[in-house]
Amino acid sequence: MAEIGRDIKAAAKLLLAGKLVAIPTETVYGLAANALDEEAVLSVFEAKQRPFFDPLIIHVPSLLEAKKYATFHDERLLGLAKQFWPGPLTLLLPKKDVIPALVTSGLQQVAVRVPDHHLTLELLKTINVPLAAPSANPFGYVSPTEALHVEKQLGKKIDYILDGGPSQVGLESTIIGIEDNMVCVYRLGGLSLEDIEKKTGPLELRLNNSSNPKAPGQLKNHYAPKKPLYLGDLQELLKQHSGKTMSLISFGSKKQSGHHHIHYSLSTKKDLREAALHLFRILRLADEDGSEIVLCERLPDEGLGRAINDRLKRAATSDANPH
Ligand code: TXA
Ligand code: MG
């Protein structure tokens, strides 16, 4: 069991001694280690059972601090940092030598972000080193949006969980970089493409999958619940799977009736931000309730809906979602 609390000094002391601490952010909880301490970074990979080829994001308290660890070689990325940090945006930037190769899996670019959570910002200012932090879930499972999610799955492997309440965005950060002189999106996330495009103009989508080694963490079967999850039109899915006990996840009001269903709504008023906020918590609930399978509705492909659909596709059982 990890201790859960709000003691920034205790968290700082552990991190500076090379220990692991889970940290709250506006996107999801992170499993943090001092990014400049290779031994500590190694234990992040071990605790998550994450392959070493999947690099980590470093977290810093400000743009000024970010410049110690990465080069802002492109005005467009600098503009995004100025506008959206602190916030759910990660930038891929040429790394400086102080960042150990283990953090970037040997890549020349480091992923950097300033998280928007007052406890973590205060912690980062206190320790004065960047924190390498992947989402605080076992490799391949749904990301945690509450301290208790972290405790349940990784509690035995970490020393302290800084409890900052439920994450206020609920989806991981959007990852942006430059390639071939274009602003590229590598992961859809908590900052919508529409918001980014207003600043940069058209974006190039280079979303990660197993054939794109740029961000190998985004494998097809990430976010996989333990139960089969089928994604599509709820009425169709209900017909296809009749006879099973099912959990239904819908967007909008819960209109299905039937005794065999446990029904969740991502947002009864069809608000995409609210759906993002509830997504991972509801996926966990559906995975742990008594049903045999989970059926989930697709969301509109706009704003945060795109990132939500991306997570759902990765969570879905592949025979229901071939490609
Ligand atoms: O919102 C977030 O981004 C959360 C919170 C904790 O900050 N973190 C997070 O980390 O989602 P993680 O490790 O679960 O996902 C990071 C993604 C992975 O897909 C990884 O491959 C990619 O970022 N990534 C990290 N460093 C990279 C690099 N140097 N080059 C390319 N991709 C990188
Ligand atoms: Mg993750």
Side-chain angles (χ1 to χ4, degrees), residues 227-292:
K227 280 180 199 171
L229 181 146
Y230 299 93
L231 183 62
D233 176 74
L234 278 185
Q235 294 302 340
E236 287 295 314
L237 290 171
L238 273 164
K239 273 187 229 148
Q240 282 168 22
H241 296 278
S242 62
K244 295 240 169 65
T245 56
M246 316 178 206
S247 302
L248 308 184
I249 304 179
S250 60
F251 183 57
S253 58
K254 304 179 190 175
K255 35 189 175 316
Q256 313 300 330
S257 56
H259 319 294
H260 315 298
H261 314 144
I262 305 168
H263 203 149
Y264 306 92
S265 175
L266 291 172
S267 167
T268 49
K269 55 178 196 268
K270 293 203 171 199
D271 177 289
L272 289 168
R273 278 181 190 276
E274 187 180 49
L277 192 66
H278 294 321
L279 177 70
F280 289 149
R281 186 176 54 81
I282 288 179
L283 282 179
R284 276 170 194 265
L285 287 175
D287 205 20
E288 286 162 14
D289 67 22
S291 71
E292 291 169 87

Side-chain angles (χ1 to χ4, degrees), residues 4-297:
I4 303 183
R6 299 171 61 85
D7 187 343
I8 288 175
K9 283 204 184 112
K13 205 168 154 197
L14 287 164
L15 286 164
L16 291 173
K19 307 284 190 200
L20 302 185
V21 170
I23 54 168
T25 86
E26 81 284 25
T27 59
V28 299
Y29 274 71
L31 175 60
N34 175 355
L36 307 183
D37 177 343
E38 272 187 278
E39 286 288 318
V41 174
L42 200 61
S43 37
V44 171
F45 284 96
E46 283 165 1
K48 266 197 76 134
Q49 294 184 300
R50 176 173 173 125
F52 292 116
F53 61 71
D54 191 3
L56 306 179
I57 297 175
I58 66 164
H59 299 69
V60 291
S62 63
L63 174 57
L64 200 65
E65 285 295 308
K67 289 180 175 171
K68 290 189 189 166
Y69 308 107
T71 310
F72 284 77
H73 60 312
D74 189 286
E75 282 301 315
R76 293 165 289 184
L77 297 189
L78 185 62
L80 289 176
K82 284 184 180 157
Q83 178 158 352
F84 294 112
W85 281 353
L89 168 73
T90 292
L91 297 177
L92 291 185
L93 301 163
K95 87 176 192 72
K96 294 197 173 168
D97 289 343
V98 285
I99 297 296
L102 185 61
V103 171
T104 64
S105 303
L107 298 171
Q108 288 311 306
Q109 300 202 95
V110 60
V112 189
R113 87 177 189 100
V114 179
D116 189 10
H117 193 291
H118 67 105
L119 284 184
T120 293
L121 286 172
E122 210 177 313
L123 174 66
L124 287 166
K125 285 177 201 150
T126 307
I127 56 177
N128 209 21
V129 292
L131 288 176
S135 51
N137 50 283
F139 187 68
Y141 195 69
V142 178
S143 298
T145 51
E146 294 173 20
L148 277 178
H149 297 166
V150 182
E151 163 59 23
K152 228 172 157 177
Q153 291 190 304
L154 292 177
K156 291 201 184 88
K157 300 185 176 171
I158 56 188
D159 295 281
Y160 193 74
I161 300 172
L162 192 60
D163 187 356
S167 297
Q168 292 302 300
V169 172
L171 289 174
E172 299 86 347
S173 56
T174 305
I175 303 182
I176 301 285
I178 299 283
E179 223 179 317
D180 308 325
N181 200 31
M182 285 180 299
V183 183
C184 298
V185 183
Y186 298 102
R187 176 174 71 180
L188 298 170
L191 184 62
S192 75
L193 300 189
E194 289 87 339
D195 283 348
I196 298 170
E197 268 172 346
K198 274 185 212 146
K199 184 86 188 163
T200 61
L203 295 166
E204 166 88 358
L205 286 186
R206 299 215 172 157
L207 300 180
N208 313 295
N209 49 49
S210 37
S211 62
N212 180 354
K214 265 268 157 178
Q218 287 285 289
L219 300 177
K220 162 70 189 75
N221 59 355
H222 249 68
Y223 308 97
K226 295 179 214 94
K227 280 180 199 171
L229 181 146
Y230 299 93
L231 183 62
D233 176 74
L234 278 185
Q235 294 302 340
E236 287 295 314
L237 290 171
L238 273 164
K239 273 187 229 148
Q240 282 168 22
H241 296 278
S242 62
K244 295 240 169 65
T245 56
M246 316 178 206
S247 302
L248 308 184
I249 304 179
S250 60
F251 183 57
S253 58
K254 304 179 190 175
K255 35 189 175 316
Q256 313 300 330
S257 56
H259 319 294
H260 315 298
H261 314 144
I262 305 168
H263 203 149
Y264 306 92
S265 175
L266 291 172
S267 167
T268 49
K269 55 178 196 268
K270 293 203 171 199
D271 177 289
L272 289 168
R273 278 181 190 276
E274 187 180 49
L277 192 66
H278 294 321
L279 177 70
F280 289 149
R281 186 176 54 81
I282 288 179
L283 282 179
R284 276 170 194 265
L285 287 175
D287 205 20
E288 286 162 14
D289 67 22
S291 71
E292 291 169 87
I293 59 172
V294 183
L295 306 184
C296 184
E297 177 163 55

